[in-house]
Amino acid sequence: MSMPIKQMFIDGEWVYSQKQETFPVLNPATGETIAIVTKGGREDAQRAISAARRAFDESGWAQTHARQRADILNRVADLLEQRADEFAQVDTQNNGKPLRESTYDVADAVNQFRYYAGLCTKPNGQTYDVPDDIQALVVREPIGVVGAITCWNYPLVMNAQKLAPALAAGNTIVIKPADLTPLTTIMLFECLQEAGLPAGVANLITGPGSEVGDEISRNELVDKVAFTGGTDTGIAIMKNAADTVKKLSLELGGKSPNIVFADADFETAVDYALYAIFANQGEVCSAGSRLILEEASYDRFLDRLVERAQKIVVGNGMDEETEMGPLISESHMNRVLSYVQLGIGEGAKLLCGGNRLMENGLEKGFFIEPTILEATDSSLRIVQEEIFGPVLVVQKFQTEQEAIRLANGTKFGLAGAVFTNDGAKAQRVIRKLRAGITWINTYHPTFNEAPWGGYKQSGIGRELGTFGYEAYTEVKQININLQVKPSGWFRN
Ligand code: NAD
């Protein structure tokens, strides 16, 4: 049975790519093709960017009142909420994550649209008391055409997170989801259309990063690029965007430390150490992928951790029992497995896992066991590099200073946590972590109200919260003469 080809959305219309090419989208739990999607290329991206440019410069969207934009975004949230089950199921079928996680993601995306619908109607700007009979004020305005490029680990949320603030602030946008997971973004555009977004204001291009993403990051009609993905890709995009001095937000990779002191609540710390790395199959930029354990509780902690890791139920995300799903693709699975072998070759000790799961129907998908490796030396590549899968690397420390040194000892700086029952120590340590997203005695909870982003090579700028809204605005000062008369600067 042939499948209908899913289209892209350019200038208010659903269209096929100019080259009429397509690509398959797979379910990573079964290896089956679940959709055929039109494969956009450079010309399609250019068309979409021109449409967004026209919509920004000529359609009046940038001059709409905040209330009008808020009404549309609230309608998008309502439509998304009405189809919440469908969205969650498609995200699970396309990404593999357990249904309970996709369900949470849909609620998160709904909240993002409501949050930014509310925020854009709130007071903004500043006034200053300055001399010379001038009334000085500062206003925020939309940047213009935003080009957004996203990755596959949170297919719906990643795109909602860029669309909602960009549109709330009055920008127009061209968005390119990851080619592995475009399906819920296509559905989200159905909601945007139904909610009454004018033609050209939001455009969707499905296609490869090497063409579509590359065009977005270079095209001079794009004013800002908002990117979520790997650090190497982020560096390439930054270089391309430099030629036309685009504004840039980069949400990149991580190798985040989770420091556990011996005085922490034992079961809580074990529990969160598992959650930190194995939630969403470890395909989380902020995953706690380095466990930094105090020597005094090291052996006992690892025994319990391994015991519980081995009990995690791995399977198809659509099964209610499933706690961890498959990796996104065969090639990504092989990359993760090769890191395990690399670690063993480097001298790390495998404590559990490390294998592909090949029984009970899982052999058709890309499943691997929850894996824990013990590393003796920080210079190992498995300590320094992002694996982006269910692979935890454990290191031992003796002093607070050593824990901080290990924690900060990579090029990344996205997230980090500390577990201890000593309140002062917790705050001392967390303030020394060079990371943008941190936790004390917990791991992972973050909220749309708070800024999201990294230090060091984990990125530039912040998404979410008020910071993430401001990132889609330009700042303009306006000086108003309160005494309208000549300046008298020149005598004649
Ligand atoms: P990736 O960098 O390979 O791809 C991300 C996106 O960029 C995709 O849409 C891809 O098509 C596009 N792309 C690829 N090459 C491009 C190019 N030359 N020019 C323009 N666009 C291009 O990343 P990935 O492997 O899909 O995602 C995993 C990475 O994303 C991890 O490093 C992870 O940590 C990171 N990530 C970061 C955050 C964050 O908030 N900091 C969130 C999720 C994922």
Side-chain angles (χ1 to χ4, degrees), residues 29-94:
T30 61
E32 287 166 358
T33 298
I34 52 172
I36 304 287
V37 177
T38 195
K39 184 176 173 185
R42 202 171 283 282
E43 316 75 43
D44 301 295
Q46 286 164 353
R47 223 185 113 205
I49 292 166
S50 298
R53 186 78 259 167
R54 266 196 314 280
F56 186 80
D57 294 338
E58 296 164 22
S59 79
W61 171 253
Q63 289 76 41
T64 49
H65 293 296
R67 276 188 193 187
Q68 289 169 268
R69 299 195 299 275
D71 283 349
I72 292 178
L73 294 186
N74 277 322
R75 276 203 292 279
V76 174
D78 292 345
L79 292 164
L80 193 51
E81 202 164 42
Q82 282 162 23
R83 295 173 65 185
D85 289 347
E86 189 194 344
F87 269 92
Q89 282 169 16
V90 173
D91 249 4
T92 287
Q93 282 157 3
N94 192 176

Side-chain angles (χ1 to χ4, degrees), residues 273-289:
L274 294 168
Y275 183 47
I277 184 64
F278 298 126
N280 210 50
Q281 305 83 241
E283 294 170 333
V284 182
C285 50
S286 52
S289 50

Side-chain angles (χ1 to χ4, degrees), residues 149-154 158 176-179 207-210 213-214 217 227-231 233-234 236-237 240 251-254 284-285 386 388 414 452 458:
I149 303 168
T150 60
C151 78
W152 41 261
N153 60 338
Y154 288 86
M158 283 295 139
K176 188 204 96 62
D179 5 352
S210 55
D214 187 76
S217 61
F227 172 72
T228 300
T231 293
T233 316
I237 287 175
N240 291 339
E251 298 288 344
L252 308 178
V284 182
C285 50
E386 185 183 43
F388 215 55
L414 189 57
W452 176 274
S458 286

Side-chain angles (χ1 to χ4, degrees), residues 33 47 77 80 96 120 124 134 201 207 221 226 270 273 287 307 329 342 348 355 382-383 407-408 436 489:
T33 298
R47 223 185 113 205
L80 193 51
C120 70
N124 70 55
I134 292 288
V201 170
L221 301 181
V270 170
E307 181 198 344
S329 65
L342 176 85
N355 299 304
I382 55 160
V383 176
N408 288 332
W489 186 261

